[in-house]
Amino acid sequence: MEKMSIDKVMRKIAKLKKLYEGAKAINSEGEANNAAALIQKLLAEYNLTMEEVGTAEEKAANNVIHEQISGYTRKSIGGYWEQRLTHVICRWNFCTCYIYGKSYKNLIIVGKKDNIEMVKWLLDMLKERFVHFSNERYKEYCKELEEKNIKPCSKDKFQRSYLSGCAAGLDAKLKEEHEREKKEEVELSTKITALVVRNNAEIEAYVEKTWGGVGKGRKTREVWDSARSAGFKDGKNTNINKPIAGGRTAASAVKLLE
């Protein structure tokens, strides 16, 4: 396939960016994510960055920034699962997630403005979807134990374990897709890897300048149970083109970017 001129590529990326923003505004997840994926592919293929696309104001507005968000929006459930899900989504969308202070309830996302917006949008959608599934799985769990005359654990305990499994399953799915794409498109994969390295270097420089670096994160002990296993399975079934069976929202399941 013949290569496009850089000017034509930049015009195409600018149009895709407008398409992405319009689709996101009307909650058309599938269309928005397809546009975002095409943007990232063109950036990698032509060795460009978003700073080279758009008006001077748009270029200046897409520098590395940070934003504080809550890792404790589902207070009735609690637990570390929101922080873990945020970390996974950031990892595959050119951003980094840090705990602010000593509590997992306060998080900071560092990355380019466009990527941070993508992370927040996907995070809201996946939280809603995974919490819905956790309610359905708990009903199934209680019914199964009732038939065996066994007392079930509390709903919030079940949900915390299940939702942590969702985050782990989603991460495993995205890693598998990334490895498969690397084998299928070796040249493009090399360029994408270079783009990731360059982006990470910018984030690390920003973190060093803003906070003087960050401390080591603490490790948490995982307990792998039936709830977490069910969550892992549902998280790993998350795709861009089709929702997980039984989803209540019209949103398509998503494929995140690296």
Side-chain angles (χ1 to χ4, degrees):
M1 186 179 293
E2 187 178 348
K3 290 275 187 178
M4 293 184 284
S5 69
I6 293 299
D7 287 343
K8 188 173 181 179
V9 173
M10 291 173 70
R11 289 196 297 272
K12 186 169 184 178
I13 291 173
K15 288 180 181 178
L16 284 167
K17 188 170 182 290
K18 289 181 180 179
L19 174 63
Y20 161 72
E21 290 169 347
K24 190 172 69 168
I26 61 172
N27 288 324
S28 178
E29 286 87 356
E31 188 175 14
N33 279 280
N34 283 330
L38 286 171
I39 289 171
Q40 299 291 9
K41 187 171 183 177
L42 285 170
L43 289 176
E45 187 173 353
Y46 288 87
N47 195 31
L48 296 169
T49 67
M50 285 305 294
E51 289 75 22
E52 298 170 282
V53 181
T55 65
E57 291 78 10
E58 289 173 333
K59 293 174 186 177
N62 201 39
N63 292 327
V64 174
I65 60 173
H66 73 272
E67 189 167 330
Q68 294 186 30
I69 66 168
S70 174
Y72 191 56
T73 62
R74 302 303 198 275
K75 295 180 174 59
S76 63
I77 301 174
Y80 292 89
W81 69 273
E82 290 187 59
Q83 182 262 327
R84 291 171 180 169
L85 181 60
T86 304
H87 171 76
V88 169
I89 297 175
C90 283
R91 178 183 177 188
W92 298 101
N93 280 277
F94 295 107
C95 293
T96 305
C97 173
Y98 299 100
I99 293 177
Y100 178 64
K102 296 182 179 180
S103 174
Y104 64 87
K105 298 178 182 180
N106 303 309
L107 305 176
I108 289 179
I109 300 174
V110 183
K112 302 289 180 67
K113 182 180 178 182
D114 287 347
N115 294 328
I116 289 178
E117 289 301 313
M118 171 68 89
V119 166
K120 292 192 299 180
W121 183 53
L122 292 173
L123 191 58
D124 287 344
M125 183 180 66
L126 287 171
K127 279 184 185 179
E128 181 180 359
R129 178 169 296 146
F130 287 154
V131 168
H132 169 69
F133 286 133
S134 73
N135 289 323
E136 297 302 308
R137 296 292 181 258
Y138 185 69
K139 292 177 185 176
E140 295 170 3
Y141 162 77
C142 288
K143 183 177 180 180
E144 181 182 346
L145 291 192
E146 183 181 353
E147 293 172 353
K148 299 177 181 178
N149 200 27
I150 301 174
K151 183 180 179 180
C153 69
S154 64
K155 184 178 181 180
D156 60 335
K157 182 178 180 181
F158 177 93
Q159 286 180 297
R160 286 193 293 271
S161 187
Y162 171 87
L163 291 165
S164 291
C166 284
L170 179 63
D171 194 33
K173 172 73 172 183
L174 297 174
K175 183 176 181 180
E176 283 184 4
E177 290 185 348
H178 175 62
E179 292 300 319
R180 183 172 64 250
E181 289 166 0
K182 279 174 63 177
K183 293 178 181 178
E184 291 173 354
E185 298 187 67
V186 177
E187 183 180 355
L188 181 60
S189 173
T190 300
K191 293 178 178 179
I192 291 176
T193 299
L195 184 62
V196 172
V197 170
R198 181 169 58 191
N199 184 80
N200 288 347
E202 290 183 47
I203 290 177
E204 289 174 6
Y206 178 89
V207 169
E208 183 67 31
K209 181 179 178 181
T210 306
W211 297 291
V214 295
K216 293 182 178 180
R218 62 177 181 272
K219 294 183 178 180
T220 55
R221 185 172 63 91
E222 299 284 4
V223 179
W224 200 266
D225 54 20
S226 59
R228 193 179 303 271
S229 177
F232 185 91
K233 182 178 179 181
D234 285 345
K236 199 171 180 182
N237 282 339
T238 302
N239 278 291
I240 189 171
N241 293 322
K242 60 180 181 179
I244 301 172
R248 67 181 173 130
T249 65
S252 300
V254 295
K255 172 185 175 184
L256 312 183
L257 305 175
E258 179 167 341

